[in-house]
PDB file of all heavy atoms in Angstrom:
ATOM      1  N   GLY A 485     119.919 135.639  63.190  1.00 59.00           N
ATOM      2  CA  GLY A 485     120.850 136.530  62.498  1.00 59.00           C
ATOM      3  C   GLY A 485     122.311 136.205  62.666  1.00 59.00           C
ATOM      4  O   GLY A 485     123.167 136.972  62.233  1.00 59.00           O
ATOM      5  N   ILE A 486     122.636 135.052  63.308  1.00 58.00           N
ATOM      6  CA  ILE A 486     124.039 134.776  63.555  1.00 58.00           C
ATOM      7  C   ILE A 486     124.804 134.449  62.279  1.00 58.00           C
ATOM      8  O   ILE A 486     126.004 134.682  62.180  1.00 58.00           O
ATOM      9  CB  ILE A 486     124.181 133.629  64.588  1.00 58.00           C
ATOM     10  CG1 ILE A 486     125.620 133.579  65.119  1.00 58.00           C
ATOM     11  CG2 ILE A 486     123.782 132.287  63.981  1.00 58.00           C
ATOM     12  CD1 ILE A 486     125.789 132.689  66.306  1.00 58.00           C
ATOM     13  N   TYR A 487     124.103 133.897  61.280  1.00 58.00           N
ATOM     14  CA  TYR A 487     124.778 133.544  60.024  1.00 58.00           C
ATOM     15  C   TYR A 487     124.500 134.536  58.905  1.00 58.00           C
ATOM     16  O   TYR A 487     125.117 134.454  57.842  1.00 58.00           O
ATOM     17  CB  TYR A 487     124.342 132.140  59.580  1.00 58.00           C
ATOM     18  CG  TYR A 487     124.628 131.081  60.611  1.00 58.00           C
ATOM     19  CD1 TYR A 487     123.596 130.446  61.283  1.00 58.00           C
ATOM     20  CD2 TYR A 487     125.939 130.737  60.931  1.00 58.00           C
ATOM     21  CE1 TYR A 487     123.861 129.483  62.238  1.00 58.00           C
ATOM     22  CE2 TYR A 487     126.211 129.772  61.885  1.00 58.00           C
ATOM     23  CZ  TYR A 487     125.165 129.147  62.534  1.00 58.00           C
ATOM     24  OH  TYR A 487     125.432 128.206  63.476  1.00 58.00           O
ATOM     25  N   TRP A 488     123.570 135.457  59.128  1.00 59.00           N
ATOM     26  CA  TRP A 488     123.203 136.381  58.051  1.00 59.00           C
ATOM     27  C   TRP A 488     124.222 137.504  57.936  1.00 59.00           C
ATOM     28  O   TRP A 488     124.738 138.011  58.919  1.00 59.00           O
ATOM     29  CB  TRP A 488     121.834 136.977  58.320  1.00 59.00           C
ATOM     30  CG  TRP A 488     121.407 137.930  57.251  1.00 59.00           C
ATOM     31  CD1 TRP A 488     120.756 137.619  56.098  1.00 59.00           C
ATOM     32  CD2 TRP A 488     121.626 139.341  57.223  1.00 59.00           C
ATOM     33  NE1 TRP A 488     120.552 138.746  55.351  1.00 59.00           N
ATOM     34  CE2 TRP A 488     121.085 139.824  56.012  1.00 59.00           C
ATOM     35  CE3 TRP A 488     122.246 140.236  58.070  1.00 59.00           C
ATOM     36  CZ2 TRP A 488     121.127 141.158  55.656  1.00 59.00           C
ATOM     37  CZ3 TRP A 488     122.296 141.574  57.716  1.00 59.00           C
ATOM     38  CH2 TRP A 488     121.736 142.023  56.532  1.00 59.00           C
ATOM     39  N   GLY A 489     124.502 137.924  56.726  1.00 60.00           N
ATOM     40  CA  GLY A 489     125.288 139.139  56.503  1.00 60.00           C
ATOM     41  C   GLY A 489     126.771 138.941  56.329  1.00 60.00           C
ATOM     42  O   GLY A 489     127.407 139.654  55.553  1.00 60.00           O
ATOM     43  N   SER A 490     127.370 137.988  57.024  1.00 63.00           N
ATOM     44  CA  SER A 490     128.825 137.832  56.961  1.00 63.00           C
ATOM     45  C   SER A 490     129.288 137.481  55.552  1.00 63.00           C
ATOM     46  O   SER A 490     130.255 138.055  55.041  1.00 63.00           O
ATOM     47  CB  SER A 490     129.278 136.755  57.956  1.00 63.00           C
ATOM     48  OG  SER A 490     128.918 137.111  59.266  1.00 63.00           O
ATOM     49  N   GLY A 491     128.588 136.531  54.933  1.00 68.00           N
ATOM     50  CA  GLY A 491     128.975 136.126  53.577  1.00 68.00           C
ATOM     51  C   GLY A 491     128.827 137.263  52.579  1.00 68.00           C
ATOM     52  O   GLY A 491     129.687 137.468  51.725  1.00 68.00           O
ATOM     53  N   ILE A 492     127.733 138.036  52.711  1.00 73.00           N
ATOM     54  CA  ILE A 492     127.492 139.161  51.802  1.00 73.00           C
ATOM     55  C   ILE A 492     128.567 140.224  51.971  1.00 73.00           C
ATOM     56  O   ILE A 492     129.118 140.750  50.995  1.00 73.00           O
ATOM     57  CB  ILE A 492     126.098 139.761  52.051  1.00 73.00           C
ATOM     58  CG1 ILE A 492     125.018 138.730  51.720  1.00 73.00           C
ATOM     59  CG2 ILE A 492     125.890 141.020  51.220  1.00 73.00           C
ATOM     60  CD1 ILE A 492     123.614 139.184  52.064  1.00 73.00           C
ATOM     61  N   LEU A 493     128.885 140.551  53.241  1.00 69.00           N
ATOM     62  CA  LEU A 493     129.902 141.569  53.503  1.00 69.00           C
ATOM     63  C   LEU A 493     131.274 141.120  53.025  1.00 69.00           C
ATOM     64  O   LEU A 493     132.042 141.911  52.463  1.00 69.00           O
ATOM     65  CB  LEU A 493     129.949 141.887  55.000  1.00 69.00           C
ATOM     66  CG  LEU A 493     128.769 142.688  55.562  1.00 69.00           C
ATOM     67  CD1 LEU A 493     128.873 142.796  57.072  1.00 69.00           C
ATOM     68  CD2 LEU A 493     128.724 144.077  54.934  1.00 69.00           C
ATOM     69  N   THR A 494     131.594 139.846  53.235  1.00 74.00           N
ATOM     70  CA  THR A 494     132.895 139.328  52.777  1.00 74.00           C
ATOM     71  C   THR A 494     133.000 139.400  51.260  1.00 74.00           C
ATOM     72  O   THR A 494     134.032 139.832  50.718  1.00 74.00           O
ATOM     73  CB  THR A 494     133.081 137.874  53.248  1.00 74.00           C
ATOM     74  OG1 THR A 494     132.998 137.826  54.683  1.00 74.00           O
ATOM     75  CG2 THR A 494     134.430 137.333  52.816  1.00 74.00           C
ATOM     76  N   TYR A 495     131.937 138.964  50.578  1.00 73.00           N
ATOM     77  CA  TYR A 495     131.939 139.014  49.110  1.00 73.00           C
ATOM     78  C   TYR A 495     132.048 140.447  48.614  1.00 73.00           C
ATOM     79  O   TYR A 495     132.807 140.736  47.672  1.00 73.00           O
ATOM     80  CB  TYR A 495     130.656 138.369  48.582  1.00 73.00           C
ATOM     81  CG  TYR A 495     130.498 138.484  47.080  1.00 73.00           C
ATOM     82  CD1 TYR A 495     131.206 137.634  46.229  1.00 73.00           C
ATOM     83  CD2 TYR A 495     129.665 139.447  46.517  1.00 73.00           C
ATOM     84  CE1 TYR A 495     131.070 137.738  44.855  1.00 73.00           C
ATOM     85  CE2 TYR A 495     129.531 139.561  45.146  1.00 73.00           C
ATOM     86  CZ  TYR A 495     130.237 138.699  44.321  1.00 73.00           C
ATOM     87  OH  TYR A 495     130.116 138.827  42.964  1.00 73.00           O
ATOM     88  N   THR A 496     131.316 141.363  49.256  1.00 78.00           N
ATOM     89  CA  THR A 496     131.364 142.778  48.850  1.00 78.00           C
ATOM     90  C   THR A 496     132.755 143.358  49.050  1.00 78.00           C
ATOM     91  O   THR A 496     133.278 144.071  48.187  1.00 78.00           O
ATOM     92  CB  THR A 496     130.336 143.602  49.651  1.00 78.00           C
ATOM     93  OG1 THR A 496     129.040 143.037  49.465  1.00 78.00           O
ATOM     94  CG2 THR A 496     130.335 145.050  49.185  1.00 78.00           C
ATOM     95  N   ALA A 497     133.366 143.052  50.195  1.00 75.00           N
ATOM     96  CA  ALA A 497     134.705 143.565  50.484  1.00 75.00           C
ATOM     97  C   ALA A 497     135.725 143.041  49.470  1.00 75.00           C
ATOM     98  O   ALA A 497     136.560 143.800  48.951  1.00 75.00           O
ATOM     99  CB  ALA A 497     135.122 143.181  51.896  1.00 75.00           C
ATOM    100  N   GLU A 498     135.648 141.744  49.155  1.00 79.00           N
ATOM    101  CA  GLU A 498     136.577 141.164  48.187  1.00 79.00           C
ATOM    102  C   GLU A 498     136.352 141.746  46.791  1.00 79.00           C
ATOM    103  O   GLU A 498     137.314 142.008  46.058  1.00 79.00           O
ATOM    104  CB  GLU A 498     136.425 139.639  48.153  1.00 79.00           C
ATOM    105  CG  GLU A 498     136.865 138.930  49.431  1.00 79.00           C
ATOM    106  CD  GLU A 498     138.330 139.161  49.729  1.00 79.00           C
ATOM    107  OE1 GLU A 498     139.133 139.210  48.777  1.00 79.00           O
ATOM    108  OE2 GLU A 498     138.678 139.303  50.918  1.00 79.00           O
ATOM    109  N   SER A 499     135.091 141.951  46.429  1.00 79.00           N
ATOM    110  CA  SER A 499     134.780 142.530  45.117  1.00 79.00           C
ATOM    111  C   SER A 499     135.312 143.954  45.002  1.00 79.00           C
ATOM    112  O   SER A 499     135.864 144.351  43.966  1.00 79.00           O
ATOM    113  CB  SER A 499     133.272 142.518  44.871  1.00 79.00           C
ATOM    114  OG  SER A 499     132.766 141.215  44.865  1.00 79.00           O
ATOM    115  N   LEU A 500     135.154 144.736  46.079  1.00 77.00           N
ATOM    116  CA  LEU A 500     135.651 146.114  46.070  1.00 77.00           C
ATOM    117  C   LEU A 500     137.173 146.150  45.986  1.00 77.00           C
ATOM    118  O   LEU A 500     137.749 146.979  45.271  1.00 77.00           O
ATOM    119  CB  LEU A 500     135.169 146.844  47.322  1.00 77.00           C
ATOM    120  CG  LEU A 500     133.688 147.234  47.348  1.00 77.00           C
ATOM    121  CD1 LEU A 500     133.299 147.749  48.724  1.00 77.00           C
ATOM    122  CD2 LEU A 500     133.383 148.282  46.285  1.00 77.00           C
ATOM    123  N   LYS A 501     137.821 145.256  46.713  1.00 77.00           N
ATOM    124  CA  LYS A 501     139.287 145.192  46.648  1.00 77.00           C
ATOM    125  C   LYS A 501     139.752 144.817  45.246  1.00 77.00           C
ATOM    126  O   LYS A 501     140.702 145.403  44.711  1.00 77.00           O
ATOM    127  CB  LYS A 501     139.818 144.183  47.662  1.00 77.00           C
ATOM    128  CG  LYS A 501     139.715 144.637  49.108  1.00 77.00           C
ATOM    129  CD  LYS A 501     140.253 143.576  50.045  1.00 77.00           C
ATOM    130  CE  LYS A 501     140.113 143.995  51.498  1.00 77.00           C
ATOM    131  NZ  LYS A 501     140.600 142.948  52.429  1.00 77.00           N
ATOM    132  N   GLU A 502     139.072 143.840  44.660  1.00 78.00           N
ATOM    133  CA  GLU A 502     139.424 143.419  43.297  1.00 78.00           C
ATOM    134  C   GLU A 502     139.223 144.560  42.303  1.00 78.00           C
ATOM    135  O   GLU A 502     140.067 144.792  41.425  1.00 78.00           O
ATOM    136  CB  GLU A 502     138.570 142.211  42.901  1.00 78.00           C
ATOM    137  CG  GLU A 502     138.928 141.627  41.547  1.00 78.00           C
ATOM    138  CD  GLU A 502     138.102 140.404  41.205  1.00 78.00           C
ATOM    139  OE1 GLU A 502     137.426 139.865  42.112  1.00 78.00           O
ATOM    140  OE2 GLU A 502     138.126 139.993  40.041  1.00 78.00           O
ATOM    141  N   SER A 503     138.109 145.288  42.459  1.00 77.00           N
ATOM    142  CA  SER A 503     137.849 146.438  41.578  1.00 77.00           C
ATOM    143  C   SER A 503     138.891 147.532  41.790  1.00 77.00           C
ATOM    144  O   SER A 503     139.313 148.198  40.835  1.00 77.00           O
ATOM    145  CB  SER A 503     136.451 146.990  41.840  1.00 77.00           C
ATOM    146  OG  SER A 503     135.456 146.040  41.555  1.00 77.00           O
ATOM    147  N   TYR A 504     139.308 147.722  43.038  1.00 76.00           N
ATOM    148  CA  TYR A 504     140.308 148.755  43.352  1.00 76.00           C
ATOM    149  C   TYR A 504     141.637 148.436  42.665  1.00 76.00           C
ATOM    150  O   TYR A 504     142.240 149.296  42.016  1.00 76.00           O
ATOM    151  CB  TYR A 504     140.489 148.842  44.863  1.00 76.00           C
ATOM    152  CG  TYR A 504     141.604 149.770  45.289  1.00 76.00           C
ATOM    153  CD1 TYR A 504     141.443 151.150  45.230  1.00 76.00           C
ATOM    154  CD2 TYR A 504     142.821 149.270  45.744  1.00 76.00           C
ATOM    155  CE1 TYR A 504     142.464 152.007  45.615  1.00 76.00           C
ATOM    156  CE2 TYR A 504     143.843 150.110  46.138  1.00 76.00           C
ATOM    157  CZ  TYR A 504     143.660 151.478  46.068  1.00 76.00           C
ATOM    158  OH  TYR A 504     144.682 152.313  46.440  1.00 76.00           O
ATOM    159  N   PHE A 505     142.086 147.191  42.791  1.00 77.00           N
ATOM    160  CA  PHE A 505     143.360 146.808  42.172  1.00 77.00           C
ATOM    161  C   PHE A 505     143.247 146.787  40.645  1.00 77.00           C
ATOM    162  O   PHE A 505     144.214 147.090  39.943  1.00 77.00           O
ATOM    163  CB  PHE A 505     143.816 145.451  42.696  1.00 77.00           C
ATOM    164  CG  PHE A 505     144.303 145.489  44.123  1.00 77.00           C
ATOM    165  CD1 PHE A 505     143.641 144.793  45.116  1.00 77.00           C
ATOM    166  CD2 PHE A 505     145.409 146.261  44.472  1.00 77.00           C
ATOM    167  CE1 PHE A 505     144.076 144.845  46.432  1.00 77.00           C
ATOM    168  CE2 PHE A 505     145.853 146.318  45.788  1.00 77.00           C
ATOM    169  CZ  PHE A 505     145.183 145.609  46.769  1.00 77.00           C
ATOM    170  N   SER A 506     142.062 146.424  40.142  1.00 76.00           N
ATOM    171  CA  SER A 506     141.839 146.474  38.701  1.00 76.00           C
ATOM    172  C   SER A 506     141.916 147.909  38.194  1.00 76.00           C
ATOM    173  O   SER A 506     142.464 148.177  37.110  1.00 76.00           O
ATOM    174  CB  SER A 506     140.481 145.859  38.362  1.00 76.00           C
ATOM    175  OG  SER A 506     140.195 145.970  36.990  1.00 76.00           O
ATOM    176  N   THR A 507     141.380 148.850  38.994  1.00 76.00           N
ATOM    177  CA  THR A 507     141.444 150.266  38.622  1.00 76.00           C
ATOM    178  C   THR A 507     142.886 150.767  38.614  1.00 76.00           C
ATOM    179  O   THR A 507     143.295 151.530  37.736  1.00 76.00           O
ATOM    180  CB  THR A 507     140.603 151.109  39.598  1.00 76.00           C
ATOM    181  OG1 THR A 507     139.248 150.654  39.543  1.00 76.00           O
ATOM    182  CG2 THR A 507     140.639 152.580  39.222  1.00 76.00           C
ATOM    183  N   LYS A 508     143.670 150.327  39.594  1.00 76.00           N
ATOM    184  CA  LYS A 508     145.087 150.700  39.623  1.00 76.00           C
ATOM    185  C   LYS A 508     145.819 150.132  38.408  1.00 76.00           C
ATOM    186  O   LYS A 508     146.673 150.800  37.810  1.00 76.00           O
ATOM    187  CB  LYS A 508     145.738 150.202  40.906  1.00 76.00           C
ATOM    188  CG  LYS A 508     145.278 150.932  42.164  1.00 76.00           C
ATOM    189  CD  LYS A 508     146.101 150.551  43.364  1.00 76.00           C
ATOM    190  CE  LYS A 508     147.538 151.049  43.232  1.00 76.00           C
ATOM    191  NZ  LYS A 508     148.323 150.744  44.448  1.00 76.00           N
ATOM    192  N   LYS A 509     145.468 148.900  38.037  1.00 76.00           N
ATOM    193  CA  LYS A 509     146.067 148.290  36.846  1.00 76.00           C
ATOM    194  C   LYS A 509     145.677 149.075  35.601  1.00 76.00           C
ATOM    195  O   LYS A 509     146.518 149.318  34.715  1.00 76.00           O
ATOM    196  CB  LYS A 509     145.576 146.842  36.732  1.00 76.00           C
ATOM    197  CG  LYS A 509     146.179 146.059  35.574  1.00 76.00           C
ATOM    198  CD  LYS A 509     147.614 145.708  35.829  1.00 76.00           C
ATOM    199  CE  LYS A 509     148.136 144.789  34.732  1.00 76.00           C
ATOM    200  NZ  LYS A 509     149.578 144.488  34.907  1.00 76.00           N
ATOM    201  N   SER A 510     144.427 149.498  35.533  1.00 76.00           N
ATOM    202  CA  SER A 510     143.987 150.316  34.404  1.00 76.00           C
ATOM    203  C   SER A 510     144.719 151.649  34.376  1.00 76.00           C
ATOM    204  O   SER A 510     145.030 152.184  33.310  1.00 76.00           O
ATOM    205  CB  SER A 510     142.471 150.565  34.488  1.00 76.00           C
ATOM    206  OG  SER A 510     141.751 149.366  34.374  1.00 76.00           O
ATOM    207  N   GLY A 511     145.002 152.179  35.563  1.00 78.00           N
ATOM    208  CA  GLY A 511     145.759 153.432  35.635  1.00 78.00           C
ATOM    209  C   GLY A 511     147.161 153.284  35.082  1.00 78.00           C
ATOM    210  O   GLY A 511     147.661 154.176  34.379  1.00 78.00           O
ATOM    211  N   ASP A 512     147.808 152.162  35.379  1.00 76.00           N
ATOM    212  CA  ASP A 512     149.146 151.909  34.826  1.00 76.00           C
ATOM    213  C   ASP A 512     149.092 151.829  33.303  1.00 76.00           C
ATOM    214  O   ASP A 512     149.960 152.366  32.608  1.00 76.00           O
ATOM    215  CB  ASP A 512     149.709 150.610  35.396  1.00 76.00           C
ATOM    216  CG  ASP A 512     149.946 150.697  36.908  1.00 76.00           C
ATOM    217  OD1 ASP A 512     150.090 151.834  37.406  1.00 76.00           O
ATOM    218  OD2 ASP A 512     149.973 149.648  37.560  1.00 76.00           O
ATOM    219  N   SER A 513     148.056 151.138  32.808  1.00 77.00           N
ATOM    220  CA  SER A 513     147.892 151.025  31.363  1.00 77.00           C
ATOM    221  C   SER A 513     147.630 152.388  30.730  1.00 77.00           C
ATOM    222  O   SER A 513     148.153 152.711  29.662  1.00 77.00           O
ATOM    223  CB  SER A 513     146.744 150.062  31.040  1.00 77.00           C
ATOM    224  OG  SER A 513     146.529 149.961  29.663  1.00 77.00           O
ATOM    225  N   LEU A 514     146.827 153.219  31.419  1.00 79.00           N
ATOM    226  CA  LEU A 514     146.527 154.557  30.906  1.00 79.00           C
ATOM    227  C   LEU A 514     147.782 155.423  30.867  1.00 79.00           C
ATOM    228  O   LEU A 514     147.986 156.195  29.914  1.00 79.00           O
ATOM    229  CB  LEU A 514     145.460 155.218  31.778  1.00 79.00           C
ATOM    230  CG  LEU A 514     145.047 156.637  31.373  1.00 79.00           C
ATOM    231  CD1 LEU A 514     144.446 156.649  29.974  1.00 79.00           C
ATOM    232  CD2 LEU A 514     144.057 157.207  32.382  1.00 79.00           C
ATOM    233  N   CYS A 515     148.620 155.306  31.879  1.00 79.00           N
ATOM    234  CA  CYS A 515     149.874 156.081  31.889  1.00 79.00           C
ATOM    235  C   CYS A 515     150.749 155.708  30.702  1.00 79.00           C
ATOM    236  O   CYS A 515     151.426 156.578  30.129  1.00 79.00           O
ATOM    237  CB  CYS A 515     150.616 155.839  33.202  1.00 79.00           C
ATOM    238  SG  CYS A 515     149.832 156.610  34.629  1.00 79.00           S
ATOM    239  N   THR A 516     150.745 154.437  30.337  1.00 78.00           N
ATOM    240  CA  THR A 516     151.509 154.009  29.163  1.00 78.00           C
ATOM    241  C   THR A 516     150.970 154.665  27.897  1.00 78.00           C
ATOM    242  O   THR A 516     151.731 155.104  27.028  1.00 78.00           O
ATOM    243  CB  THR A 516     151.449 152.475  29.020  1.00 78.00           C
ATOM    244  OG1 THR A 516     151.952 151.868  30.214  1.00 78.00           O
ATOM    245  CG2 THR A 516     152.277 152.007  27.828  1.00 78.00           C
ATOM    246  N   ILE A 517     149.636 154.745  27.790  1.00 80.00           N
ATOM    247  CA  ILE A 517     149.020 155.398  26.624  1.00 80.00           C
ATOM    248  C   ILE A 517     149.354 156.886  26.606  1.00 80.00           C
ATOM    249  O   ILE A 517     149.679 157.458  25.557  1.00 80.00           O
ATOM    250  CB  ILE A 517     147.493 155.186  26.653  1.00 80.00           C
ATOM    251  CG1 ILE A 517     147.158 153.705  26.494  1.00 80.00           C
ATOM    252  CG2 ILE A 517     146.813 155.998  25.548  1.00 80.00           C
ATOM    253  CD1 ILE A 517     145.690 153.392  26.684  1.00 80.00           C
ATOM    254  N   LEU A 518     149.289 157.527  27.779  1.00 81.00           N
ATOM    255  CA  LEU A 518     149.550 158.961  27.850  1.00 81.00           C
ATOM    256  C   LEU A 518     151.007 159.296  27.549  1.00 81.00           C
ATOM    257  O   LEU A 518     151.310 160.421  27.137  1.00 81.00           O
ATOM    258  CB  LEU A 518     149.168 159.492  29.235  1.00 81.00           C
ATOM    259  CG  LEU A 518     147.687 159.380  29.612  1.00 81.00           C
ATOM    260  CD1 LEU A 518     147.438 159.994  30.972  1.00 81.00           C
ATOM    261  CD2 LEU A 518     146.812 160.042  28.558  1.00 81.00           C
ATOM    262  N   SER A 519     151.878 158.323  27.757  1.00 79.00           N
ATOM    263  CA  SER A 519     153.278 158.563  27.399  1.00 79.00           C
ATOM    264  C   SER A 519     153.458 158.656  25.888  1.00 79.00           C
ATOM    265  O   SER A 519     154.486 159.140  25.405  1.00 79.00           O
ATOM    266  CB  SER A 519     154.160 157.447  27.962  1.00 79.00           C
ATOM    267  OG  SER A 519     153.878 156.214  27.327  1.00 79.00           O
ATOM    268  N   ARG A 520     152.449 158.192  25.140  1.00 79.00           N
ATOM    269  CA  ARG A 520     152.461 158.285  23.671  1.00 79.00           C
ATOM    270  C   ARG A 520     151.342 159.219  23.208  1.00 79.00           C
ATOM    271  O   ARG A 520     150.652 158.939  22.238  1.00 79.00           O
ATOM    272  CB  ARG A 520     152.271 156.899  23.056  1.00 79.00           C
ATOM    273  CG  ARG A 520     153.256 155.843  23.519  1.00 79.00           C
ATOM    274  CD  ARG A 520     153.178 154.591  22.663  1.00 79.00           C
ATOM    275  NE  ARG A 520     151.872 153.960  22.711  1.00 79.00           N
ATOM    276  CZ  ARG A 520     151.533 152.974  23.544  1.00 79.00           C
ATOM    277  NH1 ARG A 520     152.424 152.524  24.404  1.00 79.00           N
ATOM    278  NH2 ARG A 520     150.328 152.436  23.513  1.00 79.00           N
TER     279      ARG A 520
END
């Protein structure tokens, strides 16, 4: 088990961070729409 899990957890963490920042970017875009 010394090599198991680390790669999966790293990929999951990076994917979640990317999704989080993508959601924030979508929020900025939504605010622009709501201003109109």
Side-chain angles (χ1 to χ4, degrees):
I486 195 169
Y487 302 111
W488 180 87
S490 300
I492 296 174
L493 288 174
T494 301
Y495 175 78
T496 303
E498 293 299 323
S499 298
L500 286 171
K501 288 180 182 178
E502 184 178 347
S503 298
Y504 174 75
F505 288 116
S506 176
T507 300
K508 290 189 67 177
K509 183 73 173 176
S510 296
D512 295 337
S513 178
L514 179 61
C515 289
T516 302
I517 295 173
L518 297 183
S519 67
R520 305 192 299 266

